[in-house]
Amino acid sequence: MCLGVPGKLTQMYDRDGLRMGKVDFGGVVREACLAYVPEAQVGDYVVIHVGFAISLLSEKEAAETLALLREVSDLNAELAVQPGEERL
Amino acid sequence: MKYVAEFRDADLVKRAAEQVRRAVTRPWVLMEICGGQTHAILRYGIDELLPPEIELVHGPGCPVCVTPLEQIDKSLALASRPEVIFTSYGDMLRVPGSGRDLFSVRSAGGDVRVVYSPLDAVKIAQANPDKQVVFFAIGFETTAPANAMAVHQAARLGLRNFSVLVSHVCVPPAMHAILGGEHNRVQGFLAAGHVCAVMGYWEYPPIAEQYRTPVAVTGFEPLDLLRGVLDVVRLLEAGEVKVVNSYARAVTFEGNRPAQELINIVFMPCDRKWRGIGNIPMSGWALRPEYAQFDAERRFDLGEIHPEESADCLAGQVLQGLLKPTACPAFGTLCTTQHPLGATMVSSEGACAAYFNYNKAAMLDEVSRA
Amino acid sequence: MRDVVKSTIEGLVCPVPLQHKERIVQGHGSGGKLTHDLIAKSFMAAWDNPILNAGDDAGVISTLGHSRLAISTDAHVVSPLFFPGGDIGRLAICGTVNDVAMLGAKPLYLTASFILEEGLEIEILEQVIAAMKAAAQEAGVQIVAGDTKVVGKGLADGMYISTTGVGLLPDGSNINGAAAKPGDAVIVSGTIGDHGIAVLSARGDLGLETELTSDVAPLNGLVADMLAASSNIHVLRDPTRGGLATTLNEIARQSNVGIVLKEGQIPVKPAVDSACELLGFDPLYVANEGKLVAIVAAEDADAVLAAMRKHHYGREAVLIGQVKADPAGRVLMETLIGSHRVVDVLMGEMLPRIC
């Protein structure tokens, strides 16, 4: 249900009362509706699904996920608090 | 591509797989409920990297597969009308209705057009004032904001020739149906990352609690999938019931507020039949009365629809994770991607098609011997 | 602009026939003067060669004593007619030249048959004709016979072109799809998926903007260089409709061998990758019109690659896999992360998906 592809916002403008933008996926550019990411700025990365930005990508979270995986196998890491955990 | 390539890094993937292997001490049954994840797991051979103790079961996460036969038949009826331009996401074109599909309606003269975005369907309506444009609004919560915006825009622009055939489904009720099912074997859940990008994951803690099933919000790249599996397995091994976010770069707890708001303005919950499973109460979305004029089912008289499902198709059991595609008697014989019996063989994310296309069973043995 | 002749005679006046310089009309397909004028002024003037100029119903060609000919035919119905990197005319010439060249034959003569839509601007037709002339010159082939028909408005998408090509097979040459052997190297001449994505973007209805161009090109020169470098080239094929995956499956079945590919080795341009991600396509299934796959005895792989890389159309040639005895008739991919999956033929049409 979820073909969502990350792309870089390169332009923003309004059309027919909707916030729209050009998103660069690396050699291919497509217009997308930005109504659901009002905080997005040019240069940000967004997830595009059927021509709509549904999420703003967090560079910080991405880096953290990768950093955790790059850690050499460490028994201690398995006992410590899990990242991204929601306290219920 | 940034945010994609890094999460396919072969080295990191191997390390993550290694971490899963070390974390596991006994068998666990995990379910993923997103067709895109099924597709990715089989395309990258993730299940090959996981230890044998982990059984990955594929849930009804393909909206194409679960769109009820009645709605498919209605789409065929609408597309066959000479005054209609029928627009749809590409996925729906080969899904078999009762005997036909949209492709065959097209070859019989129906104006059926594939669109990438629902806003393209609105543009087609603007460009063709003499025609009625109908858009097949299917999908899970991920697609609802886009479909809702198309209706919202059509209303704002005062379009009289645009309508939608709605068939939306929601994940949480499906999870209740599966985890609450008599024969449920699922112990841990990989939640659909992009559904959660829209809806957040505030709906899942009560479900996790009720069924004592840990949940990891999971993405789609190999590293994301392994991350999700690792997080759920660690919780299971520790006997903890929690919801964790393994796709934090795209998902927050609250989700996308503006998207949820517009969904609420245009849609309201309704009962929905899931193809192969049956009715799941309050598991779908329908247009609110204020937008009823955009409902294609009201605008057109579709007559009597008598859906007829193939007797040999066991998609329902596959969708609930009760049957592996390869165990279905029709798999690969009566039912192939060339002549599918049911939706799970048609959609490229349907579990049956994914197994058929990427099926490794005999092949893998041969490769390891070669 | 109407040519109006004022007459001083009352009653019926025979109007001067309109020149119809601008658009194709039904009359162009009737076989009369309009047809002859169109052929003389638009086709023959551009393609000018003694065989064609003879103006007979068939062209006379000599086979110079060789015993075997390779012959191929193709219809071209691409829309839009003009796309970044090429057009229907270049596609028609290169497609047929390449089919003949894939047998290791030297393409020599082509025929071209046109079905034109009433209302087509003649200027467009002439642009296509000029493109065919340029492609034929590049490939070193001659267009020696042709035909023109006109169909009603709304048919033929502007124009359809059918081409047949004939080439000479050297004695002893046995390049064919059933000739792949376990241990052979699998080589591709360059990046895959360029043509399909370029044409899709040009159609406009998916809203993609890209600098990508079609790779449409005549490959007979490249093939000649490869044949000079090795006499152990077993199979040559151009992966057009259905893409690399479909072509390799055909070969695996014909030769009853397995083919194992390495995902990391398969060359794909970033723009093709991105477009495929966005639409949910796999570059392995996207059409190419200027690439070839070669299956070569392992010991000659380096020499063939070196020869290819010296040629403009083979400059990005790379080894992408190996032929194995098993699993017979199937193509496997060793993924980036080291696992394996089966690569099947394309089923039906590739459509953008949301899942």
Side-chain angles (χ1 to χ4, degrees):
Chain A
M1 85 240 336
C2 302
L3 195 57
V5 184
K8 184 173 179 176
L9 194 51
T10 57
Q11 265 183 66
M12 293 200 295
Y13 45 90
D14 286 329
R15 155 115 51 71
D16 284 341
L18 283 179
R19 202 97 229 267
M20 304 291 290
K22 295 276 184 178
V23 181
D24 186 343
F25 297 93
V28 170
V29 171
R30 205 207 181 265
E31 186 180 70
C33 180
L34 304 176
Y36 299 130
V37 287
E39 69 281 26
Q41 304 288 320
V42 166
D44 284 344
Y45 279 81
V46 286
V47 176
I48 301 294
H49 173 72
V50 301
F52 282 75
I54 57 170
S55 171
L56 194 57
L57 281 163
S58 161
E59 174 122 40
K60 179 172 162 293
E61 291 289 353
E64 255 178 54
T65 307
L66 291 169
L68 275 162
L69 288 163
R70 281 192 192 107
E71 272 168 20
V72 178
S73 46
D74 183 354
L75 280 173
N76 289 334
E78 289 177 28
L79 298 170
V81 169
Q82 306 305 321
E85 203 174 278
E86 191 47 44
R87 310 261 177 266
L88 291 174
Chain B
M1 285 177 76
K2 191 172 153 73
Y3 288 110
V4 170
E6 314 90 293
F7 294 90
R8 293 182 186 170
D9 182 283
D11 213 44
L12 288 181
V13 167
K14 286 187 189 119
R15 284 200 220 183
E18 180 51 39
Q19 288 186 44
V20 173
R21 270 194 286 279
R22 280 186 293 106
V24 160
T25 65
R26 56 204 138 123
W28 298 111
V29 177
L30 308 183
M31 174 176 270
E32 42 83 8
I33 190 164
C34 176
Q37 287 170 343
T38 314
H39 186 87
I41 287 167
L42 289 164
R43 186 204 180 290
Y44 289 104
I46 303 287
D47 49 347
E48 211 177 305
L49 299 175
L50 294 175
E53 292 92 327
I54 306 236
E55 188 187 336
L56 268 181
V57 158
H58 312 293
C62 164
V64 174
C65 302
V66 302
T67 301
L69 196 51
E70 289 84 348
Q71 299 308 97
I72 309 277
D73 286 348
K74 283 174 197 164
S75 77
L76 300 174
L78 286 163
S80 307
R81 297 175 80 107
E83 75 275 26
V84 167
I85 298 177
F86 193 82
T87 56
S88 170
Y89 297 119
D91 316 53
M92 298 311 292
L93 257 69
R94 281 181 58 235
V95 178
S98 304
R100 293 187 300 162
D101 58 32
L102 282 169
F103 259 138
S104 45
V105 169
R106 189 160 77 176
S107 67
D111 192 342
V112 177
R113 303 191 199 179
V114 170
V115 291
Y116 166 73
S117 166
L119 289 182
D120 295 338
V122 175
K123 270 192 215 150
I124 292 175
Q126 289 174 295
N128 293 272
D130 300 332
K131 291 272 188 176
Q132 282 288 326
V133 175
V134 180
F135 176 67
F136 204 173
I138 59 134
F140 276 89
E141 296 95 319
T142 325
T143 319
N147 293 343
M149 184 62 83
V151 176
H152 195 248
Q153 263 304 82
R156 271 195 50 238
L157 293 170
L159 289 180
R160 309 287 299 271
N161 63 332
F162 181 79
S163 60
V164 289
L165 177 64
V166 180
S167 189
H168 262 291
V169 280
C170 302
V171 170
M175 285 173 76
H176 277 286
I178 289 164
L179 294 174
E182 222 185 297
H183 303 288
N184 175 50
R185 299 164 52 231
V186 175
Q187 295 161 304
F189 232 101
L190 302 181
H194 289 144
V195 167
C196 294
V198 172
M199 299 302 292
Y201 53 100
W202 51 270
E203 296 172 292
Y204 297 103
I207 302 178
E209 264 308 305
Q210 183 176 344
Y211 301 100
R212 309 298 301 160
T213 303
V215 177
V217 177
T218 304
F220 300 84
E221 299 304 334
L223 268 188
D224 296 319
L225 290 160
L226 282 166
R227 175 90 244 164
V229 168
L230 180 61
D231 288 343
V232 165
V233 163
R234 280 177 172 163
L235 289 169
L236 286 169
E237 290 285 337
E240 289 181 63
V241 172
K242 273 192 173 80
V243 178
V244 297
N245 184 1
S246 312
Y247 191 33
R249 67 183 182 279
V251 177
T252 60
F253 185 68
E254 319 79 36
N256 187 320
R257 280 279 151 78
Q260 289 169 38
E261 270 160 29
L262 198 79
I263 291 174
N264 265 318
I265 287 172
V266 175
F267 292 120
M268 63 188 180
C270 67
D271 289 346
R272 180 63 71 195
K273 220 163 151 181
W274 292 52
R275 189 171 183 176
I277 296 176
N279 184 48
I280 302 181
M282 290 293 134
S283 66
W285 275 327
L287 287 171
R288 285 193 183 274
E290 309 86 271
Y291 291 94
Q293 47 172 309
F294 294 100
D295 189 341
E297 294 188 60
R298 287 192 200 219
R299 188 175 292 196
F300 300 92
D301 174 17
L302 296 173
E304 293 287 303
I305 300 278
H306 297 291
E308 266 174 51
E309 195 69 88
S310 154
D312 297 303
C313 179
L314 300 174
Q317 290 187 48
V318 171
L319 286 167
Q320 294 179 74
L322 300 170
L323 182 74
K324 266 214 159 47
T326 39
C328 169
F331 181 84
T333 53
L334 281 173
C335 184
T336 65
T337 44
Q338 280 248 294
H339 37 89
L341 290 184
T344 43
M345 183 57 92
V346 166
S347 165
S348 50
E349 297 61 45
C352 299
Y355 268 79
F356 192 85
N357 286 328
Y358 298 132
N359 188 1
K360 294 159 306 186
M363 318 301 161
L364 267 190
D365 292 338
E366 303 191 50
V367 167
S368 54
R369 271 188 275 118
Chain C
M1 289 275 256
R2 272 192 82 96
D3 295 327
V4 175
V5 175
K6 273 214 161 79
S7 171
T8 54
I9 304 170
E10 283 195 75
L12 286 174
V13 172
C14 177
V16 172
L18 295 176
Q19 295 282 301
H20 289 295
K21 285 194 187 93
E22 286 156 18
R23 288 180 186 271
I24 296 290
V25 297
Q26 290 283 6
H28 284 117
S30 67
K33 187 172 192 320
L34 274 178
T35 309
H36 284 126
D37 285 351
L38 182 72
I39 292 172
K41 290 178 187 152
S42 295
F43 292 100
M44 289 178 66
W47 293 341
D48 188 36
N49 64 66
I51 302 172
L52 194 62
N53 292 346
D56 291 321
D57 282 344
V60 178
I61 59 187
S62 129
T63 60
L64 303 165
H66 285 260
S67 53
R68 295 183 308 158
L69 298 173
I71 182 164
S72 175
T73 191
D74 244 314
H76 307 275
V77 300
V78 70
S79 176
L81 297 177
F82 295 88
F83 43 84
D87 58 84
I88 189 173
R90 183 170 173 78
L91 195 59
I93 300 294
C94 293
T96 295
V97 160
N98 291 348
D99 282 343
V100 170
M102 291 304 126
L103 254 58
K106 181 176 158 59
L108 286 179
Y109 302 113
L110 258 62
T111 69
S113 158
F114 292 77
I115 298 182
L116 304 174
E117 180 184 351
E118 184 180 9
L120 176 73
E121 284 146 357
I122 294 192
E123 199 196 308
I124 294 200
L125 175 61
E126 292 188 332
Q127 280 174 29
V128 170
I129 290 170
M132 292 173 80
K133 175 180 178 165
Q137 264 172 356
E138 189 187 342
V141 298
Q142 290 183 310
I143 305 167
V144 297
D147 183 52
T148 310
K149 293 288 184 302
V150 176
V151 292
K153 208 151 180 41
L155 302 173
D157 262 339
M159 76 173 82
Y160 296 150
I161 306 179
S162 244
T163 42
T164 297
V166 147
L168 295 177
L169 268 171
D171 289 333
S173 166
N174 196 29
I175 296 176
N176 72 87
K181 304 260 171 302
D184 282 354
V186 180
I187 293 173
V188 74
S189 61
T191 53
I192 58 168
D194 301 6
H195 175 79
I197 299 296
V199 171
L200 200 56
S201 309
R203 284 211 198 110
D205 30 45
L206 293 174
L208 299 180
E209 297 163 33
T210 176
E211 307 268 285
L212 207 52
T213 59
S214 164
D215 59 352
V216 57
L219 300 175
N220 50 330
L222 174 64
V223 169
D225 287 359
M226 291 165 70
L227 293 174
S230 163
S231 49
N232 294 311
I233 296 179
H234 296 156
V235 187
L236 288 172
R237 196 157 292 183
D238 60 340
T240 52
R241 282 179 306 180
L244 183 65
T246 304
T247 297
L248 289 176
N249 267 281
E250 282 166 8
I251 297 170
R253 258 158 243 190
Q254 274 181 279
S255 297
N256 201 37
V257 292
I259 294 179
V260 180
L261 304 172
K262 276 190 169 346
E263 186 164 38
Q265 296 293 101
I266 299 184
V268 183
K269 286 194 162 68
V272 171
D273 230 355
S274 303
C276 287
E277 289 284 337
L278 200 52
L279 300 171
F281 290 174
D282 187 338
L284 287 176
Y285 296 97
V286 180
N288 309 276
E289 292 288 343
K291 300 288 169 0
L292 61 80
V293 160
I295 300 195
V296 174
E299 62 270 19
D300 282 7
D302 286 340
V304 171
L305 274 170
M308 290 174 83
R309 288 173 181 156
K310 286 204 188 95
H311 194 284
H312 177 64
Y313 292 133
R315 62 195 183 280
E316 292 177 313
V318 67
L319 182 69
I320 57 168
Q322 219 191 12
V323 177
K324 304 230 188 243
D326 290 308
R330 304 292 292 200
V331 178
L332 294 188
M333 174 84 84
E334 191 190 291
T335 72
L336 283 169
I337 62 178
S339 55
H340 289 86
R341 72 166 204 267
V342 171
V343 176
D344 211 336
V345 297
L346 179 65
M347 292 292 172
E349 210 177 314
M350 250 188 330
L351 294 168
R353 54 189 176 92
I354 68 162
C355 262

